[in-house]
Amino acid sequence: VQLQASGGGLVQAGDSLTLACATSGRTSGLFGMGWFRQAPGKEREFVAAVSWWSDATYLGDATFYADAAKGRFTISRDNAKNTVYLQMNSLKPEDTAVYYCAAHSTTAQSMSVMLSKMIRYWGQGTLVTVSS
């Protein structure tokens, strides 16, 4: 599985931005995709994730958010485009970071507590800069 992140940029506080993570390669069973971010001088942290069962779509998607993202960020996916999105609203300067998309065969909630080194797939980062 390969991941390609895009959508970063420079915005002002209060603005919105949508990140996209396109996937290639086949997946099966339980699969989760998420967004992590790393600010300068800080450790990489979980932002949001979505998980689903490829072979049981009737079960729907599960999402999980970090506290900092709740109410402002929304993660979603377009199955037809094999793309996961992170809609970010009401951006704050403290949201400034390099955002990475990741994937692993796990639930969204489990991904939130996984060590970065244990997550199997990573995309390249995309820089989000929020000016005050």
Side-chain angles (χ1 to χ4, degrees):
V1 174
Q2 294 183 324
L3 309 178
Q4 180 72 36
S6 62
L10 172 62
V11 297
Q12 293 186 332
D15 284 352
S16 298
L17 197 64
T18 300
L19 305 181
C21 181
T23 64
S24 60
R26 296 187 63 182
T27 62
S28 62
L30 177 63
F31 200 72
M33 289 185 64
W35 290 93
F36 292 72
R37 67 186 183 185
Q38 188 165 17
K42 295 187 177 182
E43 293 186 355
R44 192 170 297 188
E45 63 177 5
F46 170 80
V47 177
V50 58
S51 59
W52 65 93
W53 286 90
S54 300
D55 307 318
T57 56
Y58 62 89
L59 293 176
D61 294 354
T63 58
F64 196 81
Y65 296 90
D67 288 343
K70 288 179 182 177
R72 297 190 300 128
F73 296 1
T74 302
I75 190 168
S76 62
R77 71 183 184 102
D78 185 326
N79 189 42
K81 296 182 178 179
N82 293 323
T83 301
V84 169
Y85 302 95
L86 184 68
Q87 171 71 40
M88 304 185 292
N89 298 325
S90 301
L91 282 162
K92 305 174 183 180
E94 51 264 45
D95 294 319
T96 295
V98 177
Y99 284 71
Y100 298 90
C101 63
H104 196 87
S105 297
T106 190
T107 65
Q109 186 170 0
S110 294
M111 183 175 280
S112 73
V113 295
M114 288 182 68
L115 295 175
S116 296
K117 64 180 181 181
M118 300 302 293
I119 294 177
R120 185 170 182 180
Y121 305 106
W122 287 96
Q124 90 291 0
T126 185
L127 177 62
V128 173
T129 303
V130 184
S131 63
S132 57

